[in-house]
Amino acid sequence: MIVLGDVEYYKGIGKIEYEGKESDNPLAFRYYNPDQIVAGKTMREHFKFAISYWYSFGGNGSDLFGDATQHFAWNEMREPILAAKARADAAFEFISKMGFDYFCFHDYDLVQEGKNFGQSELRLVTMTEYINKKISNSGIKVLWGSSNCVSNPRYMNGAATNPDFKVVARAAGQVKLALDATIALKVENYVFWGGREGYMTLLNTDMKRELDHMGQFLIQARDYGRSQGFKGNFLIEPKPMEPLKHQYDFDCATAIGFLREYGLEKDFKINIEVNHATLAQHTFQHELEVAAQSGMLGSIDANRGDYQNGWDTSQFPNNVQEITEAMLIFLKSGGLQGGGVNFDAKIRRSSTDMEDIFIAHIGGADTFARALLAAEKIITSSPYESLRQQRYSSFDTGSGKEFEEGKLNFNDLYAIAKENDEIELQSGKQELFESILNRYL
Ligand code: XLS
Ligand code: NI
């Protein structure tokens, strides 16, 4: 069902359909077939594709060096509520034409922040009601909500970690309203991305105190959310830097350590963004693996960086090999726990046609679908799994097994070492693993 408001914004574009890989139609899926079952679930269920309200409907192509290139009607309106309603109409039209089920938002993506706290609160309540009606009429859902505690100048020294208590309390007030909107819209998860939680220089920073404040802030946010009936995940989205020199939620391992230290590990999981992983000098796969091992693989922000650029370019995913490696971890760990795949990606400044945002999302969805199909084949029809298991087979029986079970002490190991003086080298077979992967792409 296509959901239209008073105006049709994407004229001439209908519902995007699956046409199969032989199709030449740039406005059709070639791999993403929502109802096709792969590894026991439909693609729709595996991915829960979501669009990012901020990039798809908030952006206008402007960058540090130049003004807007994309002149969307909803961005040109002056009156904030009218503009916000038009933007919501465009968003629902777009999501329904894509055939996706979800979107993600920050509080002030839904409507422009007011001149003061009270005005912002009123605007948010008005837009929550408007969007709630559109949700009931369309069946489109919200994957996660969040709060923009980054853009307003008051947060220049941080939100939860600001050295000025008044700013910390203001951020809490803002998150409370965002949580209220989240609960009213039956949103499934709530994300914290600490864009300004970190430092530009340690010279002026009391890191221990700031981390304690962030812990306290998240404890109180969790307790408030739960007391209001929010049952979903809270998610931390790690990023090592940008806009700051150093962000406290540097990567998955750091964020998981932080959550455990403050007793938050039962309510929080991780939202992993591809380009944030690469900024932290990790692969996307590495971050998925770390989160999955701790039972915290919550959600994904899908995008990609650029090999030559060292910043968050947030481009739409198109690297099938990278995503296939990721899908191997995704499938083996049982998928995402409550989250989905949110396209936290923006079209380029020079992509100025109304169809470009469709083409971008189709390409992203097809990349994930194609990778999922390949990963499933690799797991079920190639020697990949058995080769991996074989590498560790010395732990399956005898002394190796006893070691794993904690039955051997250092003297036992010393005795075994003495007995096995000659150790035959075992090949790691990296090139074999790599060629197996490529065979299935
Ligand atoms: C920015 C982040 C942001 C979060 C939500 O780098 O990716 O968009 O996903 O605040
Ligand atoms: Ni993100």
Side-chain angles (χ1 to χ4, degrees):
M1 177 181 82
I2 292 175
V3 187
L4 293 181
D6 297 338
V7 180
E8 181 169 11
Y9 291 102
Y10 301 96
K11 282 208 187 72
I13 299 176
K15 172 106 195 300
I16 306 300
E17 304 287 355
Y18 168 72
E19 292 184 3
K21 66 176 179 183
E22 305 309 329
S23 172
D24 287 327
N25 180 2
L27 289 171
F29 295 116
R30 297 166 73 242
Y31 293 89
Y32 178 58
N33 184 6
D35 300 317
Q36 183 178 336
I37 294 182
V38 184
K41 274 195 225 169
T42 64
M43 287 191 177
R44 183 188 289 283
E45 290 164 332
H46 273 296
F47 295 131
K48 291 166 72 177
F49 283 133
I51 65 97
S52 305
Y53 214 92
W54 52 103
Y55 277 150
S56 293
F57 307 102
N60 60 14
S62 61
D63 66 15
L64 275 175
F65 301 95
D67 295 341
T69 54
Q70 297 153 352
H71 300 281
F72 301 125
W74 56 89
N75 279 341
E76 317 265 298
M77 293 181 177
R78 283 274 187 80
E79 204 283 311
I81 296 290
L82 284 182
K85 289 183 175 171
R87 180 181 288 188
D89 290 350
F92 276 77
E93 178 188 335
F94 175 72
I95 300 162
S96 61
K97 285 184 168 175
M98 283 301 303
F100 286 174
D101 300 312
Y102 288 96
F103 67 94
C104 299
F105 69 83
H106 302 84
D107 39 11
Y108 299 127
D109 300 331
L110 300 185
V111 63
Q112 195 193 323
E113 187 171 2
K115 281 193 208 78
N116 52 47
F117 194 77
Q119 190 181 48
S120 304
E121 184 167 5
L122 261 177
R123 285 186 184 176
L124 269 178
V125 169
T126 308
M127 280 316 295
T128 303
E129 276 170 19
Y130 186 77
I131 288 178
N132 226 345
K133 277 197 202 111
K134 296 195 81 87
I135 286 178
S136 317
N137 296 338
S138 64
I140 288 168
K141 294 170 275 194
V142 196
L143 187 66
W144 52 260
S146 188
S147 185
N148 179 347
C149 293
V150 175
S151 305
N152 191 295
R154 80 173 75 88
Y155 297 125
M156 66 180 187
N157 288 311
T161 60
N162 198 295
D164 180 353
F165 170 67
K166 275 197 186 132
V167 180
V168 176
R170 179 62 182 261
Q174 189 182 327
V175 170
K176 180 215 175 286
L177 298 182
L179 277 165
D180 291 344
T182 297
I183 293 162
L185 295 172
K186 300 193 187 57
V187 176
E188 298 184 14
N189 303 273
Y190 189 88
V191 164
F192 289 93
W193 169 60
R196 301 215 189 259
E197 315 296 19
Y199 59 80
M200 292 305 274
T201 169
L202 263 183
L203 289 172
N204 68 5
T205 303
D206 184 337
M207 191 199 272
K208 169 81 174 101
R209 234 172 151 177
E210 292 198 0
L211 284 168
D212 282 347
H213 295 167
M214 191 157 91
Q216 190 54 235
F217 189 99
L218 294 180
I219 288 169
Q220 296 308 330
R222 175 207 51 200
D223 289 351
Y224 175 75
R226 293 293 183 235
S227 76
Q228 301 302 299
F230 177 65
K231 299 226 161 45
N233 289 318
F234 292 97
L235 298 168
I236 294 275
E237 183 178 321
K239 185 175 183 180
M241 64 186 117
E242 199 202 329
L244 295 185
K245 170 186 170 61
H246 177 92
Q247 279 164 222
Y248 292 137
D249 299 319
F250 192 90
D251 59 4
C252 278
T254 313
I256 291 168
F258 169 87
L259 290 171
R260 289 193 175 135
E261 183 165 348
Y262 292 91
L264 293 161
E265 70 275 16
K266 291 211 170 59
D267 298 277
F268 280 74
K269 296 197 178 354
I270 309 288
N271 181 33
I272 298 172
E273 178 158 327
V274 186
N275 205 167
H276 296 181
T278 49
L279 279 181
Q281 305 280 317
H282 297 310
T283 57
F284 177 39
Q285 303 84 284
H286 169 93
E287 289 293 79
L288 292 177
E289 182 76 41
V290 171
Q293 278 171 25
S294 304
M296 289 199 197
L297 180 50
S299 206
I300 287 173
D301 267 11
N303 57 21
R304 73 182 156 99
D306 179 287
Y307 288 126
Q308 276 75 44
N309 296 156
W311 67 87
D312 195 4
T313 61
S314 288
Q315 296 169 83
F316 276 84
N318 72 352
N319 186 334
V320 179
Q321 184 178 333
E322 174 182 55
I323 304 300
T324 303
E325 282 197 44
M327 286 299 108
L328 286 171
I329 297 161
F330 177 98
L331 281 176
K332 275 153 45 86
S333 60
L336 303 172
Q337 298 190 21
V341 176
N342 166 47
F343 290 108
D344 196 356
K346 57 183 170 201
I347 50 175
R348 299 301 90 185
R349 169 172 168 75
S350 52
S351 299
T352 48
D353 291 341
M354 289 304 272
E355 67 167 18
D356 290 333
I357 191 75
F358 283 88
I359 293 170
H361 281 87
I362 293 167
D366 271 346
T367 302
F368 270 76
R370 186 170 170 186
L372 183 78
L373 292 165
E376 199 241 358
K377 279 230 178 67
I378 291 167
I379 292 171
T380 58
S381 340
S382 85
Y384 166 79
E385 269 300 317
S386 58
L387 280 171
R388 267 165 66 100
Q389 278 168 23
Q390 228 172 295
R391 283 195 81 206
Y392 299 90
S393 58
S394 62
F395 292 93
D396 293 343
T397 52
S399 310
K401 188 161 190 244
E402 284 177 350
F403 170 77
E404 272 196 352
E405 290 166 354
K407 289 182 184 154
L408 298 184
N409 64 26
F410 243 51
N411 275 324
D412 301 327
L413 296 174
Y414 163 79
I416 295 169
K418 235 174 169 177
E419 254 170 55
N420 295 280
D421 211 13
E422 292 287 316
I423 299 177
E424 205 184 311
L425 298 181
Q426 305 284 340
S427 170
K429 309 299 281 179
Q430 179 169 337
E431 296 78 9
L432 177 59
F433 280 94
E434 287 167 351
S435 59
I436 290 175
L437 186 99
N438 274 1
R439 232 168 63 205
Y440 289 87
L441 296 186

